[in-house]
Amino acid sequence: MGALLGNFVGGKITDRYGFSALQFKSLFFNGILFIALGQLQTFWQIAVCLFVTGIVGESFRPANAAAIAYYSSAENRTRSYSLNRLAINLGFSIGPAISGILPYYLLFWVDGLTCIIAAVILRLALPPVQTQKQSGQKAKIKTQSVWKDQAYLCFMIFVFIAALCFLQMFSILPLCYKEELHFSKSLVGFVIAMNGLIIAVTEMVLMYKLENKRPAVQYISAGAFFIGLSYAIINILAQGLPLAITAMLIITLGEMLMFPFIHTYWISRSTTENRGQYASVYSMLFAAAYVIAPTFGSQIVRHTSYTALGYIVFMLCVFAMFGFSSSKK
């Protein structure tokens, strides 16, 4: 809930006051909240702090998306977002490894201090940028609200569906590997870790080859299909490690094709005055998918089977694929 509200508020603040101050304050105060979180004891103290942390921390996303659009050019924008994804995936890979060797009482201090240090580095490396509203200039063209862009909102519904399917990889898919394929915990971890490793090694090269070659919706459509295909393969092929690796390669290809070009798509429909709104809608729907995905997948498995979930995800991805392909360029 904090993430949903934080992304909404972050988009509004970005469009009104600019991305520079919001990025700095989000990182800095998020660090303070993480440190405070480690000192709390009761359920309600922790719940309230997590909610506030979600608002403060997630407000960073729309501002960061707008900043990447500002500092990049049309020629390298997709690669710029891929570079951002690379940094995030490296953080996801390194973070759990560090947390595994730290004493519990240090976790929140390390997490908080790294956020504060990141805020300081951001301020030193990138001087604040004044927006048109901050500088007192009047916009020449009236800014359209994202909520009036029906084509974009429809497109985002398909993004939500595809994200709901993709995020099964971090909740239900590991359970499938363990219960259906009888993998050990270490083997499950190895297969899932392949995703981040492949992205780190190949995504930037792939984006360099594909960027500006075709309309973004074509790559997004293909990405949605490959994500669905990876789940269908688990049901069709003989079970075993080669199957799991094949499926992981395919879903990673789908992820690399879809998510960087989604940023390209929404930037093409936005302006500097409403970019925060467009970014916040995308971030909100992705956050909602992240919250709903585990319950969605587990309830289907509980009442049917992993096989049924695989086919349902495949059909939803095909539906999203056709939705993307029919979207306005």
Side-chain angles (χ1 to χ4, degrees), residues 125-166:
L126 296 174
V129 175
Q130 282 196 332
T131 64
Q132 192 176 52
K133 292 182 180 180
Q134 283 178 300
S135 61
Q137 299 177 16
K138 294 183 178 180
K140 295 180 180 179
I141 302 174
K142 185 178 180 180
T143 303
Q144 178 184 353
S145 170
V146 66
W147 305 107
K148 295 181 180 179
D149 189 344
Q150 298 300 319
Y152 178 72
L153 295 177
C154 183
F155 179 88
M156 282 294 109
I157 292 175
F158 297 122
V159 170
F160 171 79
I161 294 171
L164 189 69
C165 296
F166 168 73

Side-chain angles (χ1 to χ4, degrees), residues 303-322:
H303 295 289
T304 55
S305 63
Y306 286 106
T307 300
L309 176 63
Y311 287 127
I312 289 172
V313 167
F314 174 69
M315 289 186 291
L316 285 174
C317 285
V318 170
F319 174 70
M321 176 191 71
F322 285 113

Side-chain angles (χ1 to χ4, degrees), residues 25-35 52-54 56-57 112 115:
K25 292 178 180 178
S26 174
L27 285 171
F28 184 83
F29 288 108
N30 203 40
I32 293 176
L33 285 166
F34 271 129
I35 294 172
V52 176
T53 302
V56 174
C115 285

Side-chain angles (χ1 to χ4, degrees), residues 30 32 60 114 120 134 136 138 143 156 163 168 170 185 190 220 226 240 246 248 280 294 327:
N30 203 40
I32 293 176
F60 177 85
T114 51
V120 173
Q134 283 178 300
K138 294 183 178 180
T143 303
M156 282 294 109
Q168 300 302 312
F170 301 108
K185 289 183 179 180
F190 166 76
I220 298 169
F226 283 124
T246 301
M248 187 54 63
S280 69
S327 298

Side-chain angles (χ1 to χ4, degrees), residues 40-233:
L40 303 180
Q41 301 294 327
T42 70
F43 172 82
W44 286 110
Q45 287 175 345
I46 295 172
V48 171
C49 189
L50 280 173
F51 175 72
V52 176
T53 302
I55 296 174
V56 174
E58 292 296 321
S59 65
F60 177 85
R61 293 184 184 274
N64 185 241
I68 295 171
Y70 175 85
Y71 288 112
S72 61
S73 64
E75 290 72 28
N76 64 12
R77 190 151 289 153
T78 304
R79 278 174 285 161
S80 298
Y81 281 103
S82 292
L83 183 60
N84 189 47
R85 278 171 41 81
L86 172 60
I88 292 171
N89 276 281
L90 288 175
F92 276 135
S93 300
I94 297 172
I98 294 175
S99 68
I101 62 176
L102 285 175
Y104 175 77
Y105 69 90
L106 285 180
L107 283 175
F108 298 96
W109 281 96
V110 171
D111 209 347
L113 289 174
T114 51
C115 285
I116 293 172
I117 292 170
V120 173
I121 294 175
L122 177 69
R123 177 54 58 88
L124 294 176
L126 296 174
V129 175
Q130 282 196 332
T131 64
Q132 192 176 52
K133 292 182 180 180
Q134 283 178 300
S135 61
Q137 299 177 16
K138 294 183 178 180
K140 295 180 180 179
I141 302 174
K142 185 178 180 180
T143 303
Q144 178 184 353
S145 170
V146 66
W147 305 107
K148 295 181 180 179
D149 189 344
Q150 298 300 319
Y152 178 72
L153 295 177
C154 183
F155 179 88
M156 282 294 109
I157 292 175
F158 297 122
V159 170
F160 171 79
I161 294 171
L164 189 69
C165 296
F166 168 73
L167 290 169
Q168 300 302 312
M169 184 175 73
F170 301 108
S171 55
I172 305 303
L173 194 58
L175 293 177
C176 178
Y177 288 154
K178 180 182 177 182
E179 297 178 3
E180 294 291 301
L181 304 186
H182 307 292
F183 289 174
S184 64
K185 289 183 179 180
S186 59
L187 189 55
V188 172
F190 166 76
V191 175
I192 298 297
M194 286 180 58
N195 173 259
L197 179 62
I198 294 170
I199 289 174
V201 173
T202 64
E203 183 171 305
M204 289 297 295
V205 177
L206 183 64
M207 292 304 104
Y208 179 76
K209 297 293 185 181
L210 298 180
E211 189 171 18
N212 300 315
K213 298 295 193 301
R214 293 176 179 273
V217 292
Q218 292 188 16
Y219 295 120
I220 298 169
S221 300
F225 175 76
F226 283 124
I227 289 173
L229 180 63
S230 68
Y231 290 98
I233 283 178

Side-chain angles (χ1 to χ4, degrees), residues 266-328:
W266 69 254
I267 287 174
S268 69
R269 300 191 67 85
S270 65
T271 66
T272 55
E273 286 76 28
N274 63 10
R275 193 153 285 160
Q277 295 181 48
Y278 277 78
S280 69
V281 170
Y282 169 62
S283 298
M284 285 170 61
L285 286 176
F286 196 87
Y290 196 87
V291 172
I292 296 171
T295 302
F296 169 78
S298 62
Q299 288 302 311
I300 292 177
V301 171
R302 177 186 177 187
H303 295 289
T304 55
S305 63
Y306 286 106
T307 300
L309 176 63
Y311 287 127
I312 289 172
V313 167
F314 174 69
M315 289 186 291
L316 285 174
C317 285
V318 170
F319 174 70
M321 176 191 71
F322 285 113
F324 289 136
S325 61
S326 62
S327 298
K328 293 182 179 179

